Amino acid sequence: MTKTAPERALSMLRTQGTQWVKADGAPIQLKGTNLGNWLMLEFWMMGQSTKAIDDQCTLEATLDRRFGYVERERLMRLHRDNWITARDWDLMPQFGLNLVRVPFIWSLIEDEQNPRHLRPDAWHYLDEAINQAEARGMYVVLDLHGAVGAQGHEHHSGCAGKNLYWSTPEYQERTAWLWQQIANRYKNRAAVAGYSILNEPWGTSEAEMAAVMKELYASVRAVDPNHIIILPGHSRGIDAYGKPGDQGMRNVAFEMHFYPGHFGWAKPGLDVHRDWLQCVPQGGGTCEWNARMMAWDTPLFVGEFQPWADMDDELGGQITRASYDTYAKYGWAAATWSFKMLSNAGGLVKSNWGMVTNVEGANIPAVDFSKASLGEIEQLIKLFGSVPYQPNRQVMKWMNSLVPPKPFAQAP
């Protein structure tokens, strides 16, 4: 493990009312990012998105057919060893971050060929994430991004078009088993801020989501009495859970993903972010969510948000800082999507969602995994770890500025 700074003792975190706090009760502002496309693939983040192969399951099946399971596994390890390296861990604190959300797929831990058994290398990458973050004074949220069977129809559930988790008791039982293995290993690790037990569980109703997540909470809590358990929100919200304290749940937070300007939520720009962050109309936006969390006496984790994309660099940097500061004012933890995104042509184009990307002209070729040679695939994967970087300097500048920006001061 590369260490660029002396290890700093991190306090085990817990919840206190609507706040994330240290063991002694002191509030902590958690400002973080996501390590998307590292331990679960999302092809749009590396310039490889196609209709034929656009999710991890399809890629793995293609590599199995062409090269065999053993070779597929070698290529997946090669990807993980190159997508996030020491230079990434060294860069994250330079953005003023102290939290990393680590999305992973179930098969990183469980042996897909031998259910309810750990892979021989089950803990290699999660251990690495926790160790690297801890060495830099950063916390980690472990995020099950893709459950066995997939918890939605989207490609970011790991297997697009499946959504079998909700209708298959065995998959739910294996997910409970998986989390118990994780919780047992890390129950005493203070660098783990919490367990995000299921990402975007949108393949079912809000009521069923809440019922199944309460069962999953109980499975984790039976093994680990220490860590914050992060309950996922539905696309429709969190109302189906009820107040956690009234449900016998303790030391929990809720997770929502807020994307002003994206996915049908107006258009990127100053107005949509101003309205969201400054509660326009009065009482809406973040104020509405703060009132909800106050009523339920529970903290919030903004597990994903994207404040700079599709805007000019300077404005994007200012709104990024304003977003983090607003969430911190309410006591919410927050993590942008995403730390790293590579594109075919490179450069900080407006559509880039990465805090870092490849420099302009350092091209990432689009590779057809169904036809490319083994050597071409290996070359692409190794390029992920060696391509020259271009950090988003405006985001970095404003995240480290002693004087916060006022992007909405001149807004009507």
Side-chain angles (χ1 to χ4, degrees):
M1 180 185 69
T2 301
K3 296 181 182 179
T4 60
E7 287 195 28
R8 288 162 265 179
L10 296 177
S11 171
M12 182 76 75
L13 302 184
R14 59 183 176 85
T15 66
Q16 183 171 289
T18 61
Q19 303 292 306
W20 296 70
V21 301
K22 298 179 181 179
D24 63 3
I28 182 170
Q29 293 184 352
L30 293 170
K31 299 180 179 182
T33 191
N34 278 269
L35 299 188
N37 194 55
W38 182 32
L39 305 181
M40 199 187 87
L41 303 186
E42 296 199 31
F43 287 70
W44 65 278
M45 299 182 67
M46 53 180 173
Q48 305 303 315
S49 183
T50 68
K51 291 183 179 179
I53 301 178
D54 196 32
D55 65 87
Q56 183 161 330
C57 289
T58 304
L59 174 66
E60 290 176 341
T62 300
L63 297 177
D64 284 349
R65 174 178 54 82
R66 297 193 63 207
F67 306 118
Y69 172 80
V70 172
E71 192 68 359
R72 178 254 280 189
E73 284 292 282
R74 184 183 70 84
L75 291 172
M76 294 302 295
R77 288 193 298 273
L78 189 66
H79 170 84
R80 292 161 184 157
D81 291 340
N82 280 275
W83 186 258
I84 296 295
T85 66
R87 67 170 173 168
D88 300 290
W89 291 109
D90 289 343
L91 267 171
M92 287 178 229
Q94 296 181 39
F95 283 92
L97 305 177
N98 64 351
L99 176 70
V100 180
R101 182 173 180 252
V102 179
F104 63 94
I105 195 168
W106 66 275
S107 53
L108 181 79
I109 308 298
E110 183 182 8
D111 188 342
E112 64 187 272
Q113 297 184 326
N114 192 9
R116 289 186 175 85
H117 289 80
L118 296 172
R119 291 170 53 98
D121 61 348
W123 306 116
H124 178 81
Y125 291 101
L126 294 189
D127 279 357
E128 177 73 0
I130 296 167
N131 291 338
Q132 293 281 6
E134 186 176 39
R136 292 161 177 83
M138 302 174 70
Y139 286 94
V140 172
V141 167
L142 300 178
D143 160 49
L144 180 57
H145 216 72
V148 59
Q151 70 273 20
H153 294 282
E154 302 85 358
H155 69 91
H156 56 252
S157 291
C159 300
K162 299 296 184 183
N163 194 37
L164 298 176
Y165 173 82
W166 306 104
S167 60
T168 313
E170 178 193 352
Y171 293 162
Q172 295 179 23
E173 292 165 5
R174 283 169 59 185
T175 299
W177 173 87
L178 179 74
W179 267 117
Q180 288 189 327
Q181 310 313 303
I182 297 169
N184 187 59
R185 184 168 184 86
Y186 299 122
K187 60 186 176 184
N188 295 315
R189 286 299 296 267
V192 175
Y195 305 134
S196 180
I197 56 177
L198 194 61
N199 179 70
E200 297 184 352
W202 299 346
T204 188
S205 68
E206 188 182 356
E208 183 176 15
M209 173 205 70
V212 175
M213 291 304 98
K214 288 175 184 178
E215 294 176 0
L216 191 52
Y217 161 88
S219 296
V220 178
R221 187 58 78 218
V223 174
D224 185 345
N226 300 321
H227 280 100
I228 298 168
I229 296 177
I230 304 169
L231 304 172
H234 198 274
S235 57
R236 299 182 183 91
I238 59 174
D239 290 348
Y241 282 105
K243 185 176 179 179
D246 294 345
Q247 311 296 313
M249 293 185 286
R250 61 176 183 82
N251 207 27
V252 299
F254 282 112
E255 179 173 346
M256 289 296 296
H257 299 167
F258 299 134
Y259 280 108
H262 302 284
F263 308 119
W265 186 344
K267 294 181 179 180
L270 185 146
D271 289 350
V272 66
H273 288 285
R274 176 204 61 199
D275 291 355
W276 167 247
L277 295 174
Q278 297 198 335
C279 308
V280 179
Q282 187 174 2
T286 56
C287 291
E288 179 182 356
W289 273 95
N290 184 53
R292 180 178 287 114
M293 305 321 295
M294 293 289 287
W296 284 12
D297 200 32
T298 305
L300 188 63
F301 177 39
V302 184
E304 297 179 17
F305 70 107
Q306 175 42 252
W308 65 78
D310 296 305
M311 290 187 291
D312 291 336
D313 290 350
E314 173 67 17
L315 180 60
Q318 290 191 27
I319 289 178
T320 298
R321 172 65 182 273
S323 299
Y324 277 112
D325 285 355
T326 300
Y327 298 152
K329 176 184 69 175
Y330 294 127
W332 304 348
T336 52
W337 192 279
S338 183
F339 175 71
K340 175 178 178 176
M341 178 180 171
L342 304 181
S343 65
N344 299 122
L348 285 174
V349 296
K350 282 190 175 183
S351 60
N352 194 288
W353 281 38
M355 283 184 160
V356 298
T357 189
N358 44 320
V359 301
E360 184 176 358
N363 297 354
I364 298 293
V367 169
D368 185 345
F369 291 99
S370 65
K371 298 178 181 178
S373 69
L374 185 61
E376 289 170 331
I377 295 172
E378 288 181 333
Q379 186 176 12
L380 170 71
I381 294 173
K382 291 177 180 178
L383 188 59
F384 295 157
S386 61
V387 67
Y389 275 175
Q390 182 173 347
N392 189 319
R393 295 293 180 187
Q394 293 303 315
V395 169
M396 184 180 289
K397 178 187 77 173
W398 282 110
M399 287 298 293
N400 288 288
S401 175
L402 295 178
V403 179
K406 298 180 179 180
F408 311 120
Q410 303 302 318

